[in-house]
């Protein structure tokens, strides 16, 4: 079954309201049935609802992503990154490092595990994708059981807090399970359920899905575009599958060639990428114009042309600030506005650590450093 994003959000909204209403009604009935029906809710219990609400959501997201990590490790993938809200755990140079996540686009959580070989990748990715919903389902069942088991056994503040915590945990984790298990495409991404469905069907669609997953994880793990396997790209693009997701392959392949200074091949991929413009999510359409603007400015050194492309890019939340600043620096350089080019390049370098595409960020850092060098070597205008 496939449903669009709007329908999915309506379903989720209805389920949330029904579930929350049932929970509040049941909790109130059980709580006040203990001889406290006439007593107003104490202030400390009212204050406790908000932090319990936040913790329940955070824990639900954390366990979902942890399920992906555990499943990835079980099928032989190597852990690379785990993000929940403001917290991040990342493997760098063989060591696990704790960091603060400042990228609002992934506050909802993300888990990255990198396959080390190509053995039965489709089957292993099915388990990796299934790990999150399975973890959510298990926690929903456990929290529900504890809610009914302990509700009425504990009294006072801790009885109230325990009841609300496990009740809310059951509701929110259950909603996470429902949202992620329904096969649908939202915001340019497949849900876990849709990914499992695509991979389990086998054939060309599964092969394309495996290629996209592998390349995306490699980039986010720090492998720069020029080091990606070109035959993997070409094989996937040759598959007789009509899907807008091939646009992302052309986008990555553009950077693969650009990172090798193969500008003519990079330009060809931009043409293919642009041909999918009307089929890719609105939020990502700006990447087409930004990439064309950067190419026009840095490679063709045509500031006016680059400005025209840049003007068509509707910058949204999914576009990283570093990418926009890099394009602005390139346009300023082509326009011989060296102080502005230097300023934008420096700002872009400072913004690069927030990029989730760490592999491309390595290449971008080199390109920005080159812009800085060119601005320093530029003649001084009296």
């Amino acid at each position: 079954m496939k449903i669009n994003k709007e329908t999915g959000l309506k379903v989720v909204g209805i389920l949330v309201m029904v579930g929350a209403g049932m929970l509040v009604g049941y909790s109130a009935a059980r709580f006040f049935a203990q001889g406290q029906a006439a007593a107003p809710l104490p202030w400390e219990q009212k204050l406790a609802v908000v932090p319990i609400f936040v913790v329940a959501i955070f824990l639900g997201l954390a366990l979902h992503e942890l399920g992906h990590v555990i499943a990835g490790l079980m099928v032989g993938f190597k852990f690379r990154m785990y993000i929940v809200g403001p917290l991040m755990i990342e493997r760098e140079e063989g060591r696990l490092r704790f960091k603060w996540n400042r990228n609002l686009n992934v506050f909802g959580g993300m888990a990255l595990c990198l396959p080390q070989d190509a053995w039965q990748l489709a089957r292993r990715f099915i388990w990796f994708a299934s790990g999150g919903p399975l973890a959510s389902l298990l926690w929903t069942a456990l929290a529900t059981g504890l809610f009914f088991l302990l509700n009425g056994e504990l009294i006072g503040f801790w009885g109230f807090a325990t009841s609300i915590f496990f009740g809310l945990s059951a509701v929110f984790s259950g909603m996470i399970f429902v949202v992620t298990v329904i096969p649908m495409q939202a915001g340019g991404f497949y849900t876990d359920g849709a990914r499992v469905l695509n991979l389990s069907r086998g054939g060309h669609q599964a092969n394309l899905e495996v290629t996209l997953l592998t390349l995306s994880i490699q980039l986010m793990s720090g492998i720069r575009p020029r080091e990606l396997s070109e035959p993997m790209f070409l094989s996937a693009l040759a598959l007789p599958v009509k899907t807008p997701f091939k646009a992302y392959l052309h986008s990555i392949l553009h950077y693969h060639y650009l990172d090798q200074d193969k500008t003519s091949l990079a330009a060809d991929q931009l043409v293919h990428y642009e041909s999918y413009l009307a089929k890719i999510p609105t939020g990502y359409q700006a990447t087409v114009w930004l990439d064309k603007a950067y190419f026009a400015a840095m490679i063709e050194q045509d500031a006016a042309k680059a400005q025209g492309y840049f003007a068509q890019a509707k910058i949204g939340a999914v576009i990283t600030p570093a990418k926009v600043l890099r394009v602005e620096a390139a346009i300023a350089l082509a326009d011989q506005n060296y102080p502005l080019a230097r300023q934008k390049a420096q700002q872009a370098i400072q913004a690069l650590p927030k990029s989730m595409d760490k592999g491309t960020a390595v290449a971008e850092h080199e390109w920005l450093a080159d812009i800085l060098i060119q601005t320093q070597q530029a003649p001084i205008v009296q």
Side-chain angles (χ1 to χ4, degrees):
M1 178 181 67
K2 291 187 178 181
I3 59 178
N4 58 36
K5 181 180 179 181
E6 290 74 20
T7 303
L9 290 175
K10 289 179 182 177
V11 171
V12 170
I14 293 172
L15 290 175
V16 167
M17 288 187 290
V18 172
M22 292 173 61
L23 172 64
V24 171
Y26 182 82
S27 296
R30 292 295 298 269
F31 184 76
F32 291 117
Q34 301 173 33
Q36 304 180 34
L41 199 65
W43 65 267
E44 65 270 17
Q45 293 182 0
K46 294 179 181 178
L47 292 178
V49 172
V50 174
I52 292 173
F53 181 89
V54 174
V55 171
I57 294 178
F58 181 86
L59 183 60
L61 294 172
L63 291 176
H64 180 90
E65 299 304 331
L66 183 61
H68 284 303
V69 172
I70 293 174
L73 295 176
M74 289 178 64
V75 296
F77 289 2
K78 188 174 183 179
F79 171 80
R80 299 307 297 256
M81 186 181 298
Y82 174 84
I83 298 176
V84 180
L87 303 180
M88 175 191 299
I89 303 175
E90 185 176 12
R91 182 184 294 277
E92 286 185 348
E93 299 177 353
R95 299 179 59 184
L96 296 180
R97 301 183 185 275
F98 291 85
K99 301 180 179 180
W100 291 111
N101 170 41
R102 296 180 175 85
N103 190 334
L104 294 178
N105 291 327
V106 290
F107 249 60
M110 185 176 73
L112 287 181
C113 292
L114 184 65
Q116 302 300 294
D117 54 67
W119 180 72
Q120 294 189 353
L121 271 181
R123 181 185 65 82
R124 293 156 74 193
F125 270 126
I126 287 175
W127 280 107
F128 179 62
S130 301
L134 286 174
S136 294
L137 182 61
L138 289 174
W139 176 232
T140 300
L142 180 59
T144 301
L146 290 172
F147 173 75
F148 284 104
L149 180 65
L150 298 178
N151 201 350
E153 298 297 323
L154 300 175
I155 61 175
F157 173 81
W158 291 110
F160 173 82
T162 302
S163 174
I164 290 297
F165 170 72
F166 285 120
L168 288 175
S169 292
V171 169
F172 290 124
S173 190
M175 298 323 307
I176 293 173
F177 168 75
V178 171
V179 170
T180 57
V181 81
I182 293 177
M184 65 178 178
Q185 179 186 334
F189 296 96
Y190 282 132
T191 61
D192 294 326
R195 201 171 294 284
V196 169
L197 186 62
N198 289 338
L199 291 168
S200 62
R201 286 171 174 169
H204 299 312
Q205 180 65 49
N207 291 335
L208 181 65
E209 190 81 13
V210 166
T211 300
L212 280 168
L213 283 169
T214 301
L215 293 171
S216 299
I217 292 175
Q218 286 178 339
L219 285 172
M220 287 188 283
S221 299
I223 298 176
R224 63 186 296 168
R226 70 185 183 196
E227 295 172 356
L228 299 175
S229 170
E230 184 175 352
M232 183 182 293
F233 282 107
L234 301 180
S235 297
L237 288 171
L239 292 172
V241 179
K242 293 184 179 180
T243 170
F245 281 88
K246 279 190 174 181
Y248 302 124
L249 285 174
H250 289 296
S251 175
I252 300 172
L253 189 54
H254 163 71
Y255 277 95
H256 171 76
Y257 288 134
L258 195 62
D259 197 19
Q260 300 179 73
D261 293 325
K262 297 180 179 179
T263 56
S264 61
L265 293 175
D268 290 340
Q269 294 307 311
L270 274 180
V271 174
H272 292 302
Y273 189 19
E274 187 179 1
S275 69
Y276 286 89
L277 185 62
K279 300 177 182 178
I280 61 179
T282 305
Y284 288 92
Q285 291 179 8
T287 62
V288 177
W289 300 114
L290 290 173
D291 288 340
K292 288 173 69 67
Y294 180 80
F295 191 88
M298 285 300 295
I299 307 303
E300 300 173 349
Q301 298 184 352
D302 189 333
K305 184 178 180 181
Q307 283 283 11
Y309 291 143
F310 185 78
Q312 297 185 66
K314 293 180 174 58
I315 311 300
V318 298
I319 307 300
T320 61
K323 187 184 187 75
V324 179
L325 290 165
R326 171 170 58 85
V327 175
E328 290 178 326
I331 294 174
L333 181 66
D335 199 32
Q336 298 183 2
N337 188 341
Y338 303 119
L340 181 60
R342 183 162 49 250
Q343 175 190 346
K344 293 294 185 179
Q346 290 171 342
Q347 291 175 346
I349 289 174
Q350 293 175 354
L352 276 178
K354 297 180 182 179
S355 175
M356 297 308 303
D357 186 348
K358 297 187 177 299
T360 303
V362 174
E364 287 182 294
H365 193 282
E366 289 186 5
W367 300 339
L368 290 164
D370 182 58
I371 291 177
L372 289 176
I373 291 173
Q374 292 188 54
T375 60
Q376 292 167 359
Q377 295 175 348
I380 300 175
V381 180
Q382 299 294 335

